[in-house]
Amino acid sequence: MLKNLDPLLNADVLYALRAMGHGDRLVICDTNFPGDSIARQTRLGRLLRIDAVTAPRAARAILSVMPLDTFIDDAAARMEIVGSPDEIPDVQVEMQAEIDAAEGKHWPMVSIDRMDFYEHAKNAYCVIATGERRFYGCFILTKGVIPPEEVR
């Protein structure tokens, strides 16, 4: 255990978050996502896990230490529902609330077609599988920067 860190952030996830640079993307996925096969094509090359929690709860842990990229409009993305791209299921509503809370303001997610989402995911730094069992609990987050503290 470490002080002031969410206990869901295991050593493998912390390593990846620290290794990522500005503009690198990570995928948070549900249990139905082809996490292992997609993760093998990412920069990290292996699947990471935050088991037994929902995707929004995993995002809360991740966003407690990782800022979103303020230089782009698509720093937070969700997988669209096939045949109903404008529908927002509960899991995505909950994720939006976690993103807004972490950033201290409304930060709208962009939507990505399911097949395009798979292609975007292959280009991510890493994939983090969760225990999320609801459909369309798949998201892509882009790492931002932490500005230097003012020297006095």
Side-chain angles (χ1 to χ4, degrees):
M1 296 296 294
L2 297 170
K3 290 174 138 183
N4 302 319
L5 279 180
D6 191 304
L8 293 181
L9 296 174
N10 60 59
D12 290 336
V13 171
L14 284 170
Y15 170 84
L17 294 175
R18 177 61 182 97
M20 290 172 64
H22 178 223
D24 280 337
R25 297 177 189 259
L26 67 82
V27 176
I28 298 173
C29 68
D30 62 30
T31 56
N32 290 298
F33 187 79
D36 188 65
S37 61
I38 296 288
R40 290 172 190 260
Q41 299 173 68
T42 64
R43 303 298 184 269
L44 187 64
R46 64 186 175 86
L47 183 64
L48 302 175
R49 305 194 71 86
I50 299 180
D51 288 316
V53 298
T54 66
R57 176 61 184 94
R60 182 187 318 155
I62 291 163
L63 292 171
S64 74
V65 296
M66 187 189 91
L68 290 178
D69 192 337
T70 59
F71 294 109
I72 58 174
D73 294 331
D74 64 345
R78 64 178 182 87
M79 182 188 287
E80 289 179 355
I81 295 177
V82 174
S84 189
D86 296 325
E87 183 180 342
I88 310 292
D90 288 345
V91 65
Q92 295 181 359
V93 170
E94 292 171 23
M95 176 63 93
Q96 184 66 68
E98 293 295 347
I99 291 168
D100 293 351
E103 295 300 316
K105 63 181 181 178
H106 183 60
W107 191 299
M109 286 187 283
V110 299
S111 63
I112 302 174
D113 169 82
R114 179 176 159 248
M115 298 313 291
D116 290 340
F117 189 97
Y118 292 144
E119 292 306 311
H120 283 276
K122 291 174 187 176
N123 292 314
Y125 182 83
C126 64
V127 175
I128 302 172
T130 69
E132 181 60 67
R133 297 192 56 200
R134 294 172 289 182
F135 295 145
Y136 298 98
C138 299
F139 307 91
I140 298 176
L141 303 177
T142 305
K143 186 176 182 180
V145 298
I146 298 172
E149 294 180 16
E150 254 184 68
V151 179
R152 294 180 182 212

